[in-house]
Amino acid sequence: MPETSSIPLYSRDYFLACTVGGVLACGYVQPGLYKGVFDGWKTIVKAEGFRGVFTGIGPTAIGYSLQGAGKYGFYEVFKYKYSNLVGDEIAHKHRTFVYLAASASAELIADVLLCPMEALKVRMQTSIPPFAKTTGEGFKKIMATEGINGFYKGLVPLWCRQVPYTMVKFASFEKTVEMLYKTFLTKPKHEYNKTQQLGVSFAGGYIAGVFCAIVSHPADVLVSKLNNLDKAEPGKHQTTAMDVVKKLGFRGLWTGLGPRIIMIGTLTGLQWLFYDTFKVAVGLPTSGSADPTPEDKVIKA
């Protein structure tokens, strides 16, 4: 049976709750950007001991928390705004385009919040010895040597990676959850209890994560390489994204895809699970599925 929420849907408190849920979903430590997860750990432990495995936790937690707030919070805002802009009937008929537009718009904002911490994290995690021991030390070093541009030189490649990634993440999640309820499950969504609905959220998130890993992998490799480049000396050529692409070649851009599919699938599934668990905890419905109830007062998805 549907539950009545104390938070009106699409109110300011609703969008705030979704923003907080995004922080909780994305604000945990992400693996480093080495050729593979285990390869990275092996390299770090050999050079610095087990303490080195946790290098970059500060900027990672801060950066992904900020990105999660922007990603999930603004996704809900833009999905609501765009649906109202075109009308409920058109929004329902062309809902995939609404998902794509809303997620792309949200990610543009989220990446502006993430980029400074992403630049610092990559330098700390891919430099041996570490670029800096603390977030504050690293922030000061980049600001002193490169200024604010040092934090945003990877913004455009980050957009190239994250915008398609997030479009796939949200649209494929929404469509996968809808498909699971319509094809593989025997009852409408609102007839399942919240625990069962959360299980569907995890499954939908995992499947979405597989697609995300494939779409974003080349740009992810490129961003990690760009953020770890030294600043060119005066009068010398600064290596560009195109220079890096030519050096890596087509095969180099796909290095490490297999482990990343497993990793991103699991992480994306957990993100949707954490996000929807928080929503359920505050009395809101879980995400996804074109099976709204009148009590939920949701736009058809």
Side-chain angles (χ1 to χ4, degrees):
M1 295 295 293
E3 300 176 6
T4 302
S5 171
S6 60
I7 301 177
L9 295 188
Y10 312 120
S11 64
R12 182 184 64 180
D13 288 343
Y14 169 80
F15 294 125
L16 178 60
C18 292
T19 299
V20 174
V23 172
L24 297 177
C26 296
Y28 53 83
V29 178
Q30 304 283 342
L33 299 176
Y34 291 88
K35 289 189 294 182
V37 178
F38 297 108
D39 177 74
W41 289 355
K42 180 180 177 181
T43 301
I44 296 172
V45 170
K46 183 177 180 180
E48 307 173 56
F50 284 99
R51 182 178 180 181
V53 172
F54 297 96
T55 297
I57 282 183
T60 299
I62 295 170
Y64 282 104
S65 294
L66 291 173
Q67 187 198 32
K71 187 194 301 280
Y72 284 88
F74 280 107
Y75 173 70
E76 298 290 351
V77 171
F78 284 121
K79 186 168 70 168
Y80 174 67
K81 294 293 185 182
Y82 293 159
S83 295
N84 283 346
L85 183 65
V86 300
D88 287 359
E89 184 176 349
I90 295 177
H92 175 61
K93 183 177 180 180
H94 302 288
R95 53 193 178 279
T96 301
F97 293 104
V98 174
Y99 303 149
L100 292 170
S103 56
S105 301
E107 190 60 39
L108 288 172
I109 297 173
D111 287 345
V112 173
L113 302 176
L114 168 66
C115 198
M117 293 297 103
E118 177 79 352
L120 178 55
K121 180 202 75 171
V122 171
R123 294 194 188 195
M124 292 177 68
Q125 290 186 335
T126 59
S127 299
I128 300 177
F131 174 76
K133 294 182 179 180
T134 65
T135 302
E137 179 188 348
F139 190 91
K140 291 177 181 177
K141 286 181 70 173
I142 294 177
M143 183 61 73
T145 57
E146 302 177 49
I148 194 68
N149 290 336
F151 294 104
Y152 286 99
K153 67 181 182 181
L155 180 59
V156 173
L158 186 62
W159 275 335
C160 292
R161 178 190 75 180
Q162 288 297 132
V163 172
Y165 179 100
T166 299
M167 292 171 71
V168 172
K169 175 179 179 176
F170 281 84
S172 61
F173 170 81
E174 298 267 14
K175 298 300 290 184
T176 298
V177 170
E178 179 181 334
M179 180 193 66
L180 289 175
Y181 281 112
K182 285 186 174 182
T183 306
F184 296 98
L185 300 177
T186 58
K187 298 182 293 185
K189 174 182 175 180
H190 67 272
E191 294 185 14
Y192 289 95
N193 62 44
K194 295 302 182 183
T195 300
Q196 292 168 326
Q197 290 182 26
L198 289 173
V200 174
S201 294
F202 176 78
Y206 191 97
I207 294 171
V210 173
F211 292 114
C212 289
I214 296 172
V215 169
S216 65
H217 191 73
D220 187 73
V221 172
L222 179 58
V223 168
S224 68
K225 296 295 184 181
L226 286 173
N227 277 326
N228 205 37
L229 290 175
D230 294 328
K231 186 177 181 180
E233 297 179 5
K236 292 189 176 182
H237 172 69
Q238 176 65 52
T239 303
T240 65
M242 188 57 65
D243 294 330
V244 175
V245 170
K246 290 179 179 178
K247 182 177 180 180
L248 289 174
F250 181 79
R251 291 187 62 182
L253 289 172
W254 294 98
T255 300
L257 178 60
R260 190 165 187 263
I261 285 177
I262 298 173
M263 178 182 70
I264 297 300
T266 303
L267 291 176
T268 305
L270 289 174
Q271 285 179 345
W272 280 109
L273 177 61
F274 292 168
Y275 178 63
D276 273 355
T277 297
F278 178 78
K279 288 176 68 178
V280 168
V282 298
L284 294 172
T286 57
S287 305
S289 175
D291 176 41
T293 64
E295 291 82 354
D296 284 335
K297 300 178 183 178
V298 297
I299 295 174
K300 292 181 180 180

